Amino acid sequence: MSIPESGMPETGTPQSGGAGESQLGRLEAFSDGVLAVIITIMALELRAPAGDSFRSLRERIPALLIYILSFTFVGIYWNNHHHLLRAARRLTPGVMWANLHLLFWLSLIPVLTEWIGEHADKLVPAATYGMVCLASALAFTVLAIVITRADGPDSPVAVVSGQSIKSQASLVLYAGGTVVAFFFPWIAYIMYGTVSVIWFIPDPRLGRLKDL
């Protein structure tokens, strides 16, 4: 994906050339660093089986599954976030705060991953995970909207910031999974995993940004 990039200072005046690219590049690099730390923390918290038998391994399967789900979840956000920032033209305070808002919710994933790994069959951890997933999805939507407002209605991001069927389905599954978690935690995890499957293949509209 290759799109011309430009930015703007905090006053809102458009920039051009290398200065704008540098500002947006720094924001992307900072975000990439945060996401890398999130994944690293999750990996460090993944404990080995207590023993050397298949029974010990089987006892750690729930923790491994939630790790895979969380890793995929963060990886999908990294992928889509990369495309979103590469399509942005201007950097405003609103974009920076919306970006931090998204990173905040994603930074909670390692804590929840460890919590669920120890209490995979409990209701509250499963429901809390769904709440954070839902908040992350909404935060990404907010970031796209803020970038669109900064760049204008004719911006490349405006092409992909609308509520697609995948976006709507994700919000419904996260919200529904959060409710279901209070009764059937494993069904909720399946619903959360379904969202990851939906987004495993990036939105084709993101690929068309390079032509705008």
Side-chain angles (χ1 to χ4, degrees):
M1 174 175 162
S2 175
I3 340 179
E5 296 173 348
S6 61
M8 64 187 300
E10 295 186 355
T11 58
T13 304
Q15 293 187 16
S16 61
E21 292 179 0
S22 175
Q23 285 192 351
L24 288 167
R26 288 178 61 188
L27 182 65
E28 183 181 4
F30 169 77
S31 303
D32 286 348
V34 172
L35 294 174
V37 170
I38 290 173
I39 291 178
T40 300
I41 293 174
M42 288 194 304
L44 293 175
E45 291 177 347
L46 186 63
R47 294 186 297 136
D52 58 357
S53 65
F54 283 109
R55 179 178 179 181
S56 299
L57 178 61
R58 186 170 61 250
E59 292 173 351
R60 298 302 300 164
I61 287 179
L64 178 60
L65 291 177
I66 190 62
Y67 170 79
I68 293 173
L69 176 60
S70 295
F71 185 94
T72 305
F73 178 82
V74 175
I76 288 171
Y77 271 96
W78 171 77
N79 187 15
N80 289 325
H81 182 270
H82 164 79
H83 287 291
L84 193 65
L85 286 188
R86 286 300 177 92
R89 293 172 174 170
R90 297 172 178 169
L91 181 63
T92 65
V95 171
M96 296 176 69
W97 281 111
N99 190 69
L100 281 174
H101 177 233
L102 171 63
L103 295 178
F104 166 76
W105 290 110
L106 294 178
S107 70
L108 298 178
I109 295 298
V111 178
L112 295 177
T113 301
E114 182 182 18
W115 191 22
I116 294 174
E118 301 300 323
H119 307 281
D121 58 340
K122 302 302 181 182
L123 309 181
V124 176
T128 305
Y129 191 88
M131 293 177 189
V132 171
C133 288
L134 178 60
S136 300
L138 292 173
F140 188 87
T141 300
V142 169
L143 176 59
I145 292 173
V146 173
I147 291 176
T148 299
R149 289 180 177 176
D151 291 354
D154 61 338
S155 68
V157 177
V159 176
V160 298
S161 62
Q163 285 294 302
S164 66
I165 295 178
K166 291 170 68 172
S167 299
Q168 294 174 353
S170 300
L171 295 176
V172 170
L173 285 169
Y174 282 143
T178 301
V179 175
V180 171
F182 287 104
F183 305 96
F184 308 102
W186 285 108
I187 295 180
Y189 293 134
I190 292 174
M191 295 174 72
Y192 305 151
T194 300
V195 178
S196 294
V197 172
I198 290 175
W199 285 101
F200 193 79
I201 299 177
D203 193 324
R205 296 176 302 168
L206 292 171
R208 291 200 297 270
L209 286 173
K210 63 183 179 181
D211 300 323
L212 299 179

